[in-house]
Amino acid sequence: MSGPHPGDDSSGPAEDGGVGNAHACCYPFSPVPLIPAALSKFLKQHSGPLTADLVLEPGNFGLGRVPRRLMPIGTTTSICGYCATGCQLKLHLDEHGHAINLSPQAGYPVNLGMACPKGWQALDPLDSPDRATVPLLRDAEGKMVPVGWAEAMEAFTARFKGLREEHGHESVAFLSTGQIPFEEMAFLGCLFKFGMGFLHGDANTRQCMATAVTAYKQSFGFDAPPYAYADFEESDVIVLVGSNLCIAHPILWQRVMRNRRNPEIIVIDPRATETAQAATRHVMLKPKGDLALLYALTHCILRDGRTDAESIARTEGLEEFLEFIGDYAPEAVSERTGMSVEEIESLARTVSEPGKRVSWWWTMGVNQSYEGVRTAQAMINLALITGNIGKPGTGANSITGQCNAMGSRLFSNTTSLVGGHEFAYPEHREKVAAGLGIPVEKIPAESSLAYDQILAAAEEGKIKGLWIVATNPFHSWIDSGRLAALREKLEFLVVQDMYYSTESARAADLMLPAAGWGEKDGCFINSERRIGTLKAVRQAPGIALSDFRIFRLIASAWGCDDLFAKWTDPESAFRLLRDLTKDRPCDITGIEGYEMIDRMGGIQWPYPEGSSKGEESSSKGEVPSANERRLFEDGIYYTPSGKARILFSPPAEMPEGADRDFPYLLLTGRGTSSQWHTQSRTGKSDILRKLYPEDVYLEIHPADAARLALKEHDTVRVSSRRGSLEASVYLAPTVRPGQVFLPMHYPEVNRLTHPSFDPHSRQPNYKACAVALEKVRQI
């Protein structure tokens, strides 16, 4: 019999509804097809939209095969705009230069071809229907009405100038972000303080990184995370304190998994997090028992002489510390930590074993605490006395939260003077004035109030106007119910953001529509101090502008644009800021520009003028290992003496512990790797929304649930002294009896949290407060 063989789908017309010989030849004596022609076209088609999507073609640019509709004609790269891991993404471009898809960049020394779910879907939030496309101004009837940029600028300048004239230069403040390029951060801070003449501004990095900043400044003399991500792969002992790395920084967990030294992975956390379950040892201590535990470990190590004399010689304050630490024997802290003496002694031996590389890592479980600075410094002290700093696989290492929190720390011009300087030092003010070409008298000698102090001043009626840029404090701030009352005290609230739908934008008097990640150029700095570039690969919708362009409009409308004549575009601003860093620990004067940053696979600071050209990429595009550099290899710190300071204080009492009326201790943290902060962006992705629960849920131990007659998926009311919410019950033996857990991302959660702060860093204590639980009876 001639003709196609059975199963040959190349024959037969699909367009006219025929089933083709592939069906007929299975039954060679059948005169008619078994499947009616009207149905066969739905079962088999050689063309059409579904077929075109399923047929993959060579994508070029190292992309493998892609659907024809996603066939790029070019690519570019950009640093992801979510967390501070700083992954590089390869953006796939159409003929107009617009990004139509993306993939992780294989050769980048941070992510090595990997991305978390947020990175894979990074383009989704740009297409959301609630994008802010025009300025909105609240009219006399309280409605937000569209206006042009000219009218928006007139309202902005008239209202804020009026407040300054009537109430002085401390009557208006701004609250900024860790998620815009540092060129924009610097422009905002310099415009507000040097051009507009106000004093107070802070960034929401206060909510995530202020503790680490203060700890490093006090201990090392500068805000200097000492590590490279390579240290994850070169440690023998990795200690993660208050860090759910698997969920919060999944790509860094992948770096841990690349470690070939068979490391001991120790997680110190009250909850059996995903990371704790994957570790080799989980230390399930009592909430906020971390500082006492770290002091007990130090006590054991010093007592047994398991120290590094050379490293200790490069410290100061040891004598006083020896006297202090004598009170922290394991027996003295066993009850406070919930650990036995034997467990503490065993852990002390593990983290001080001679010849082993030990690295200490922490994130928000330490930073967001009423005593986070001293807890961070307790890890710094341990690294110093055991010699685990300045060497591969070592360090006391803070993992940053937001994508550009490190850029904010150096360049936002909030509580520190731009470029890693201090407002209080005349020589710093003179240097910055000369570098920016502005009169030195325009630079204030006083530092700004911190975030919580700005909001307190607004509550007291001292701050009358507030400008919120790319952040959402009406959702994210601790004890968030206070923000509604505070709003009534403000005479003028401006919110500048991508979306008109955020809790903060809905409260605004003036809403300025801003471009987002993917719609503007600039630089981020990641946790390991690596500077990377981001690119504009989409046009912002409507008449929305990049924050950089909005600041230029404001400078012109305010009448101070002559001070910022050189700030013509982000790269011009980058060169100004680069030159300001000369002779500072963060010196990057050796960077020529954006092209050099891209060519070298990102550049870690410091990179002063004259830095080795051997760090540049090879002709094959490979990034040499020298491009991952740690600090303090020479044992010299940034203090006046060149020595690191050993700092300490007795552990404080928890501001609000469980009691008879509120018998459970609430813990908060990251929910899933698909959620980010207030979900103003991740909530816009159809794919990401499918990867996490839509509504808030409460993790509770089964024994506690049984006592309250709660079953899985029941509704429970969770109440604190500040507010309440209703959540779905999730039975979780990963939390201890008497403790419950809520993911931080849902807007209700911060109605509960306790408004207490670290006295050194002013960072809020999000992690522990007392709550009561009550089953909600369904009608």
Side-chain angles (χ1 to χ4, degrees):
M1 188 176 90
S2 62
H5 293 290
D8 184 347
D9 64 0
S10 62
S11 59
E15 290 75 16
D16 65 5
V19 298
N21 292 335
H23 297 287
C25 70
C26 294
Y27 302 91
F29 304 110
S30 173
V32 295
L34 298 179
I35 301 174
L39 294 178
S40 68
K41 65 181 180 180
F42 296 107
L43 300 178
K44 175 185 175 185
Q45 291 194 128
H46 290 281
S47 62
L50 293 178
T51 302
D53 237 18
L54 291 172
V55 175
L56 302 180
E57 301 190 10
N60 302 319
F61 311 105
L63 299 179
R65 299 171 69 81
V66 299
R68 183 176 299 171
R69 67 181 175 83
L70 295 177
M71 184 76 66
I73 67 163
T75 63
T76 190
T77 60
S78 189
I79 301 301
C80 180
Y82 282 107
C83 82
T85 301
C87 298
Q88 190 177 72
L89 305 173
K90 179 183 284 189
L91 298 164
H92 312 173
L93 307 178
D94 65 12
E95 65 272 16
H96 305 294
H98 298 161
I100 53 176
N101 205 355
L102 59 79
S103 55
Q105 177 72 338
Y108 200 63
V110 168
N111 52 313
L112 307 174
M114 300 177 285
C116 79
K118 297 185 294 294
W120 277 106
Q121 303 306 133
L123 291 170
D124 291 359
L126 301 180
D127 299 321
S128 179
D130 61 345
R131 286 294 303 271
T133 59
V134 298
L136 300 173
L137 181 63
R138 198 172 298 279
D139 65 12
E141 298 178 355
K143 297 180 180 178
M144 295 294 278
V145 297
V147 297
W149 278 108
E151 189 174 347
M153 290 298 97
E154 181 181 357
F156 182 98
T157 54
R159 296 298 300 274
F160 280 160
K161 279 189 173 184
L163 290 176
R164 191 179 191 282
E165 291 169 6
E166 184 175 356
H167 301 288
H169 75 300
E170 296 190 53
S171 62
V172 176
F174 75 80
L175 296 173
S176 180
T177 181
Q179 299 195 260
I180 60 176
F182 69 70
E183 296 88 345
E184 293 184 339
M185 292 173 173
F187 200 167
L188 168 61
C190 293
L191 169 64
F192 190 79
K193 294 193 173 188
F194 309 157
M196 296 166 65
F198 293 110
L199 179 60
H200 298 307
D202 203 0
N204 66 7
T205 45
R206 179 73 60 181
Q207 295 165 265
C208 64
M209 298 317 302
T211 283
V213 171
T214 305
Y216 284 140
K217 278 187 174 182
Q218 291 181 354
S219 294
F220 296 153
F222 195 79
D223 176 18
Y227 63 94
Y229 290 154
D231 291 318
F232 278 120
E233 302 178 29
E234 298 175 12
S235 293
D236 297 308
V237 180
I238 297 171
V239 189
L240 299 165
V241 184
S243 174
N244 191 5
L245 207 62
C246 290
I247 294 300
H249 300 88
I251 301 308
L252 297 186
W253 181 252
Q254 293 295 323
R255 297 295 297 261
V256 173
M257 293 294 96
R258 288 167 55 91
N259 188 316
R260 297 184 179 183
R261 302 176 69 90
N262 191 30
E264 179 93 358
I265 304 171
I266 301 168
V267 170
I268 301 176
D269 199 298
R271 193 167 63 101
T273 63
E274 291 83 352
T275 310
Q277 295 174 53
T280 57
R281 188 190 310 192
H282 176 208
V283 178
M284 199 173 193
L285 83 170
K286 286 183 178 179
K288 309 325 299 176
D290 44 9
L291 182 54
L293 172 61
L294 295 169
Y295 284 158
L297 299 178
T298 309
H299 174 101
C300 296
I301 293 167
L302 288 169
R303 179 200 65 200
D304 297 340
R306 301 164 70 88
T307 58
D308 184 294
E310 185 179 348
S311 180
I312 288 176
R314 296 194 293 268
T315 68
E316 52 192 17
L318 181 65
E319 294 77 11
E320 298 87 347
F321 189 48
L322 286 170
E323 182 178 351
F324 168 84
I325 211 69
D327 295 332
Y328 292 90
E331 297 82 1
V333 304
S334 179
E335 182 179 350
R336 183 171 189 135
T337 61
M339 297 174 63
S340 70
V341 170
E342 292 74 22
E343 288 173 320
I344 296 172
E345 293 278 6
S346 171
L347 184 57
R349 288 191 295 272
T350 301
V351 300
S352 62
E353 188 173 343
K356 290 293 182 74
R357 303 172 176 182
V358 180
S359 58
W360 296 84
W361 307 82
W362 76 89
T363 54
M364 297 309 116
V366 169
N367 285 348
Q368 291 176 337
S369 168
Y370 59 93
E371 57 182 9
V373 169
R374 289 298 186 245
T375 304
Q377 287 169 337
M379 285 180 273
I380 292 172
N381 296 343
L382 280 161
L384 291 170
I385 68 173
T386 59
N388 280 294
I389 196 160
K391 304 170 187 175
T394 68
N397 306 325
S398 164
I399 302 171
T400 312
Q402 298 184 65
C403 55
N404 198 27
M406 177 61 72
S408 175
R409 289 150 73 169
L410 296 177
F411 293 109
S412 65
N413 208 43
T414 51
T415 52
S416 293
L417 183 57
V418 65
H421 297 88
E422 299 295 335
F423 286 101
Y425 299 156
E427 63 273 22
H428 285 194
R429 299 197 299 273
E430 291 166 4
K431 176 186 173 185
V432 169
L436 296 181
I438 62 172
V440 69
E441 59 269 17
K442 290 188 174 293
I443 301 180
E446 320 102 287
S447 290
S448 165
L449 294 174
Y451 204 120
D452 69 295
Q453 296 166 329
I454 288 172
L455 294 179
E459 285 182 316
E460 296 165 7
K462 296 177 181 177
I463 286 179
K464 306 288 186 179
L466 191 62
W467 182 12
I468 296 174
V469 180
T471 188
N472 188 17
F474 280 75
H475 175 143
S476 64
W477 189 246
I478 202 162
D479 185 15
S480 60
R482 293 172 60 190
L483 272 291
L486 175 154
R487 173 66 187 93
E488 298 304 312
K489 297 288 186 71
L490 293 173
E491 295 186 20
F492 197 56
L493 173 63
V494 178
V495 173
Q496 183 170 318
D497 210 326
M498 292 175 65
Y499 306 105
Y500 61 75
S501 59
T502 70
E503 290 86 351
S504 301
R506 293 199 299 267
D509 294 306
L510 174 64
M511 202 279 162
L512 302 179
W517 176 91
E519 297 168 343
K520 54 187 175 182
D521 301 322
C523 290
F524 290 159
I525 309 178
N526 76 352
S527 289
E528 61 168 358
R529 313 179 317 281
R530 185 178 301 275
I531 301 167
T533 63
L534 57 152
K535 312 289 199 316
V537 290
R538 289 281 186 92
Q539 179 70 40
I543 58 172
L545 298 172
S546 71
D547 295 288
F548 195 93
R549 295 298 168 191
I550 295 173
F551 300 147
R552 284 193 59 82
L553 277 181
I554 292 170
S556 176
W558 198 273
C560 60
D561 51 331
D562 58 319
L563 297 178
F564 302 100
K566 295 180 180 178
W567 299 63
T568 54
D569 59 85
E571 191 162 12
S572 297
F574 170 85
R575 292 192 173 95
L576 287 171
L577 300 170
R578 171 200 65 192
D579 294 344
L580 283 185
T581 67
K582 183 176 177 59
D583 299 326
R584 298 299 292 153
C586 58
D587 191 330
I588 55 171
T589 53
I591 301 177
E592 297 164 7
Y594 289 175
E595 185 278 333
M596 180 180 180
I597 295 171
D598 286 342
R599 173 165 35 94
M600 291 182 61
I603 300 174
Q604 286 179 289
W605 66 258
Y607 198 86
E609 190 174 5
S611 295
S612 171
K613 299 300 181 182
E615 293 187 11
E616 295 198 22
S617 302
S618 70
S619 59
K620 296 182 180 180
E622 299 169 348
V623 179
S625 60
N627 205 14
E628 290 195 296
R629 296 175 288 113
R630 63 193 54 80
L631 302 178
F632 311 129
E633 292 179 318
D634 58 2
I636 300 174
Y637 299 90
Y638 301 120
T639 59
S641 67
K643 295 183 176 182
R645 303 185 184 105
I646 294 178
L647 299 167
F648 50 91
S649 296
E653 292 300 318
M654 190 181 297
E656 185 183 63
D659 55 27
R660 185 178 65 180
D661 295 327
F662 296 89
Y664 295 91
L665 198 64
L666 171 64
L667 311 176
T668 65
R670 187 79 64 192
T672 71
S673 60
S674 304
Q675 292 168 291
W676 181 250
H677 291 195
T678 67
Q679 301 187 122
S680 57
R681 284 186 293 158
T682 51
K684 307 298 190 293
S685 168
D686 291 340
I687 291 175
L688 294 181
R689 286 200 310 273
K690 294 175 182 177
L691 300 180
Y692 60 80
E694 180 179 359
D695 297 316
V696 62
Y697 60 94
L698 179 81
E699 294 186 9
I700 181 172
H701 193 276
D704 287 335
R707 278 192 293 273
L708 296 168
L710 292 169
K711 303 186 300 297
E712 191 99 349
H713 306 307
D714 279 353
T715 301
V716 62
R717 181 172 294 107
V718 188
S719 304
S720 75
R721 290 179 172 85
R722 293 154 294 282
S724 65
L725 59 80
E726 291 186 359
S728 177
V729 168
Y730 176 69
L731 301 182
T734 51
V735 295
R736 279 182 166 173
Q739 300 169 20
V740 293
F741 174 83
L742 286 170
M744 57 177 272
H745 312 286
Y746 302 95
E748 306 95 328
V749 173
N750 277 326
R751 298 174 192 165
L752 310 180
T753 45
H754 188 267
S756 49
F757 304 90
D758 184 287
H760 304 281
S761 68
R762 306 305 309 168
Q763 182 152 352
N765 173 38
Y766 282 98
K767 294 304 183 185
C769 69
V771 296
L773 306 178
E774 179 187 5
K775 183 176 182 177
V776 176
R777 305 292 175 182
Q778 302 297 325
I779 300 175

